Amino acid sequence: MNSRDYMLRAIALAKLGNGYTAPNPMVGAVIVKNGRIIGEGYHKKCGGLHAERNAFASLTENAEGAEMYVTLEPCCHYGRTPPCTEAVIEHKISKVYIGSRDPNPLVSGKGAKKLRENGIEVIEDFMREECDALNPVFFHYITTGMPYAVMKYAMTLDGKIAAYTGRSQWITGSAAREHVHSLRGTYSAVLAGIGTVLADDPMLNCRIENAHQPLRVVADSNLRIPVDSRLCQTAEEYPLLIACTRCDEQKKNALEALGAEVVVLPERNGHTDLNALMKYLAQKQISSVLIEGGGELNYSALESGIVSHVCAYIAPKLMGGRTAKTPVSGIGAEHPDNAALLKNRRITPLGDDILLEYDIERSLTDVHGNN
């Protein structure tokens, strides 16, 4: 094995924490001595030991003089756990390969500097692109203070998310639907609009055994959600937040009695202000949100500028229907030049369907000047 192989192993370890570390990053660490891995670990969950300390806990022999490969710059401050730089120094590691730089002001550059000050050779930006790909959520959350929002939808090849009758189950096949559940297990929250809730009566939970369960969030301006909906009836089992702009106290009390949280937020363009909702979620340390809305919520999310990434599941079907719903509705852009722009295409086959992923390069907010 060579240096690249060791960092690839650290990356693979880091991914084992997917869905459990938020709002912390996913991190993996590997300790190598005389060409042999003598310890490895990853950050398993928020509040638990960091990757470096888990790697030291697994040592099969003394680490003096060994090299460490870690996907993110070691922390050098006291948080929920002691600084990882202290552990690296105490174990007399001779060289540390760092993948990603930590944008957290408490760490940024200081971790690497601390190691160098103690005579440890530090190689920064080693396989940085691959390591950075682990933590777009953490990087966005720590630098903006806002959740990383992903807009997800399933559509036919002619761009329909439902038939003209309103029926939408199922657009895609089982492989794509299973992938959606894996996505839900990796995000801190899932957001739907009241239109989707009234039409489909969804659960919005992750149906993978022992997986992380996201906070279920409903944007419901007038608090129309039925108390007998599956979301409300399972609020004790799976957390539920309902964001409205006005509410009847009796209805609010009934929802809270079922275990739901109801929050009243400002209104924007006749709907719940999504920027205010994102700020509220950030205060609850929700670092990522998977948006599973209909066309109106998706347009509002794009127009509000909160979307960072798009996941479009596309089925090999042509459904037609001049009134059939599409993934993004709303007023729309007045000219093709004013459309939201996407970048960094990724394509994943899922059975007969495909998943297209893009990052947002320019939102509708930018072209309409609503910031």
Side-chain angles (χ1 to χ4, degrees):
M1 295 179 70
N2 57 33
S3 295
R4 183 175 178 84
D5 294 324
Y6 296 133
M7 186 61 88
L8 286 173
R9 175 59 182 165
I11 291 171
L13 288 166
K15 291 178 180 178
L16 296 176
N18 198 4
Y20 299 96
T21 64
N24 288 352
M26 290 184 285
V27 186
V30 171
I31 302 169
V32 179
K33 188 172 183 179
N34 299 325
R36 294 173 290 106
I37 294 178
I38 63 170
E40 60 182 30
Y42 66 98
H43 185 37
K44 296 180 180 180
K45 63 179 181 179
C46 182
L49 292 177
H50 289 186
E52 298 91 329
R53 289 188 177 270
N54 276 327
F56 287 126
S58 75
L59 283 173
T60 57
E61 61 182 87
N62 191 296
E64 184 174 355
E67 297 178 346
M68 172 174 274
Y69 294 79
V70 60
T71 57
L72 182 70
E73 181 180 5
C75 66
C76 54
H77 68 291
Y78 282 88
R80 292 184 176 93
T81 58
C84 289
T85 50
E86 285 187 2
V88 175
I89 295 165
E90 289 168 2
H91 283 86
K92 299 182 179 179
I93 296 293
S94 65
K95 188 175 186 178
V96 177
Y97 291 81
I98 296 173
S100 297
R101 300 190 180 213
D102 193 335
N104 186 340
L106 296 173
V107 180
S108 184
K110 300 180 180 70
K113 181 182 178 183
K114 181 72 173 179
L115 296 177
R116 289 191 176 105
E117 288 174 346
N118 283 270
I120 298 172
E121 183 180 357
V122 178
I123 306 297
E124 293 182 274
D125 302 327
F126 185 75
M127 295 179 61
R128 180 171 179 174
E129 183 176 349
E130 294 89 338
C131 291
D132 281 356
L134 288 168
N135 289 303
V137 169
F138 171 72
F139 294 150
H140 178 86
Y141 180 68
I142 203 69
T143 56
T144 68
M146 296 284 276
Y148 181 88
V150 175
M151 188 175 79
K152 164 263 164 188
Y153 55 85
M155 70 177 188
T156 59
L157 196 57
D158 58 341
K160 308 298 183 182
I161 62 172
Y164 76 92
T165 59
R167 297 194 62 176
S168 60
Q169 296 178 340
W170 297 103
I171 296 292
T172 53
S174 59
R177 296 199 300 273
E178 288 172 9
H179 192 271
V180 169
H181 282 286
S182 70
L183 269 189
R184 288 180 184 172
T186 63
Y187 287 90
S188 301
V190 175
L191 169 65
I194 186 59
T196 297
V197 172
L198 294 175
D200 300 337
D201 193 20
M203 279 282 287
L204 299 179
N205 64 327
C206 176
R207 290 164 208 166
I208 297 175
E209 190 176 358
N210 298 321
H212 158 76
Q213 291 296 337
L215 170 67
R216 302 174 301 168
V217 183
V218 179
D220 181 10
S221 299
N222 296 308
L223 206 59
R224 292 188 291 151
I225 189 169
V227 293
D228 62 352
S229 65
R230 295 202 296 167
L231 284 168
C232 293
Q233 291 299 311
T234 58
E236 290 283 2
E237 184 178 4
Y238 305 111
L240 173 64
L241 170 69
I242 305 166
C244 61
T245 59
R246 62 189 69 85
C247 70
D248 173 78
E249 281 300 316
Q250 186 174 355
K251 178 72 172 287
K252 179 175 181 288
N253 291 339
L255 292 169
E256 291 176 340
L258 291 171
E261 178 187 355
V262 179
V263 59
V264 180
L265 296 173
E267 180 181 299
R268 185 173 185 268
N269 297 330
H271 301 288
T272 304
D273 187 328
L274 294 182
N275 279 293
L277 176 56
M278 292 299 113
K279 290 177 182 177
Y280 183 77
L281 292 174
Q283 291 170 6
K284 295 172 68 70
Q285 292 196 314
I286 297 296
S287 60
S288 60
V289 178
L290 182 65
I291 302 172
E292 295 196 40
E296 291 297 327
L297 179 62
N298 287 344
Y299 179 80
S300 294
L302 287 170
E303 194 266 343
S304 297
I306 66 171
V307 181
S308 295
H309 191 74
V310 177
C311 289
Y313 296 84
I314 302 176
K317 299 176 181 178
L318 300 171
M319 196 149 56
R322 65 174 60 91
T323 61
K325 294 180 179 179
T326 59
V328 182
S329 52
I331 297 173
E334 62 183 12
H335 190 278
D337 289 345
N338 293 338
L341 298 182
L342 311 176
K343 63 180 180 178
N344 300 332
R345 181 191 65 197
R346 292 182 288 285
I347 304 175
T348 306
L350 295 167
D352 292 332
D353 308 314
I354 62 170
L355 168 61
L356 281 179
E357 293 184 75
Y358 291 90
D359 296 325
I360 294 287
E361 181 175 22
R362 185 188 71 188
S363 70
L364 288 170
T365 303
D366 297 327
V367 298
H368 292 316
N370 290 321
N371 268 340

